[in-house]
Amino acid sequence: LRPPTKNMTKGTTSFGKRTSKTHTTCRRCGGRSYHIQKATCSACGYPAPRLRSYNWSVKAIRRKTTGTGRMRYLKHMPRRAKNGFREGTNAVSKKRVSK
């Protein structure tokens, strides 16, 4: 035990003792939200298979919803659907046929 200190403030000196980190970077969402002791992410819910989202926070859903990322697969779907999901064919040449 150390002798009682003269310092009775709750401010500046107390903040200097905050050295441990509770959260670190998450493997799934990349945010500094992964709680080390709980082993869960407070932003995305990792390691749970489903993404964490609540209807009481509409803005948070809007930030994380489909269309906010790259959409590597889904961005090609409207064009493919328009053409009936055809595959393995060659495009018709639009060059002017000389007579």
Side-chain angles (χ1 to χ4, degrees):
L1 289 167
R2 62 166 75 120
T5 57
K6 304 253 179 179
N7 192 350
M8 299 295 283
T9 59
K10 292 182 264 181
T12 310
T13 50
S14 300
F15 282 97
K17 292 180 177 69
R18 296 187 183 191
T19 53
S20 61
K21 290 202 295 185
T22 52
H23 294 86
T24 186
T25 50
C26 174
R27 290 164 66 178
R28 181 159 66 184
C29 68
R32 190 168 176 256
S33 314
Y34 188 79
H35 197 283
I36 300 164
Q37 283 187 319
K38 288 184 188 176
T40 51
C41 179
S42 58
C44 70
Y46 180 84
R50 290 189 186 184
L51 263 177
R52 175 186 173 273
S53 73
Y54 295 100
N55 286 331
W56 47 257
S57 182
V58 181
K59 262 191 191 178
I61 295 171
R62 195 190 310 149
R63 288 187 202 109
K64 295 191 277 189
T65 191
T66 312
T68 56
R70 280 175 62 183
M71 297 208 313
R72 293 188 285 286
Y73 175 77
L74 206 59
K75 68 179 166 190
H76 304 294
M77 293 304 284
R79 171 173 41 83
R80 289 181 58 215
K82 182 181 73 176
N83 296 315
F85 297 100
R86 65 183 176 201
E87 286 182 344
T89 58
N90 292 325
V92 181
S93 179
K94 292 189 176 183
K95 284 185 179 177
R96 197 174 193 181
V97 182
S98 59
K99 292 180 182 177

